[in-house]
Amino acid sequence: MTAYCRAHESLRKDRMFDDPLAAAVITTVYGIGSATDEQLPRLGPATDDGSSSLWNLFSFYFAHRTVFYDNRVLNAIDAGCRQIVLLGAGFDGRAFRLGLPGEARVFELDQASVLAFKEQVLLQHSLIPHCHRVPLAADLREEIADPLIAAGFRPDQQTLWIAEGLLMYFTQAEADRLLDRVSAVSAVGSHFISEYFTAQWNFEDVNYELLNEKDRAVWDLLTWEFPSDPLAQKPGDWLASHGWEVRTCTTVGEFGRAARREVPPQFASADGPDIWLFDGTKGAE
Ligand code: SAM
């Protein structure tokens, strides 16, 4: 669905980014030739005609969070960072669409099955990264340092870590262990960008009773995946407890309201549950 959102965003006249990999993922899934038509096929709530309130919410979230991360990646690159690790890379297309310098190294960590499908899409659509891209199958609940270093990762160099759309699937203990392991191989000045829910989202937050069957099925599937004991600290406190200093901390609602798109009701005010968007910098020991 994230890829669908990015493919849809790429087709908009007022697009905030252009993601050729996202369109390639959707066309491969559907076995269709190209996503350059005006409309994409429907996938669960994913529909670009505004008729699904659930999709209006998701697409606003996915599109704005993508921009939040993009801005920070580009800032880090401008500041000289040349090592990026995507934790739960999924169909992240930053190695293909951000014009990263050729000497930059992007490590893409995810499950083997996800990476295998991504390779198939890349081959089918002849997509070539602008930088040095290293896919790496890994379980992010386990140690990652040794496989990363074996794949060419340099702990002595500043790193930009991206955990986009990941931590909401982790328990507090799993998130703590992941950040501990990241910290152990992060040079001072490294960055960590991520997001997670400010509070639990409930049925009433998405008007579940009013959703159609397809949209309910997607909501049920998504919420079934979330742990009962999620990461609950505020981002600044969580980062500080692992030796990182928060740099930016906002929410999808706050970030999106400033971006002048039509805002879904869930994000229209600061009252309801939201999603933190934040980044932090690794301090000295
Ligand atoms: N970061 C990508 C993006 O924003 O487009 C993908 C986000 S997707 C919601 C979450 C990704 O994390 C999936 O590709 C999933 O396979 C991966 N993931 C979740 N838990 C994982 C784990 N324990 N080890 C490796 N990958 C994991």
Side-chain angles (χ1 to χ4, degrees), residues 25-43:
V25 168
I26 299 307
T27 56
T28 301
V29 167
Y30 283 97
I32 54 178
S34 88
T36 51
D37 307 339
E38 292 202 344
Q39 287 205 319
L40 295 167
R42 181 171 180 149
L43 172 69

Side-chain angles (χ1 to χ4, degrees), residues 2 6 65 88-90 110-111 114 138-141 164-166 170:
T2 319
R6 294 187 183 133
R65 94 170 187 210
D110 209 300
Q111 305 179 76
V114 175
D139 184 341
L140 297 168
R141 293 163 301 182
E164 182 177 10
L166 181 76
F170 279 32

Side-chain angles (χ1 to χ4, degrees), residues 2-3 6 19 62 65-66 69 86-94 109-115 118 136-142 162-170 174 195 222:
T2 319
R6 294 187 183 133
D19 189 343
F62 296 146
R65 94 170 187 210
T66 301
Y69 285 78
L86 306 178
L87 298 164
F91 304 125
D92 184 312
R94 294 195 170 89
L109 275 56
D110 209 300
Q111 305 179 76
S113 56
V114 175
L115 294 175
K118 191 169 184 176
L136 187 59
D139 184 341
L140 297 168
R141 293 163 301 182
E142 306 291 336
I162 297 183
E164 182 177 10
L166 181 76
L167 293 180
M168 54 278 285
Y169 299 102
F170 279 32
E174 287 168 346
E195 97 229 37
L222 280 177

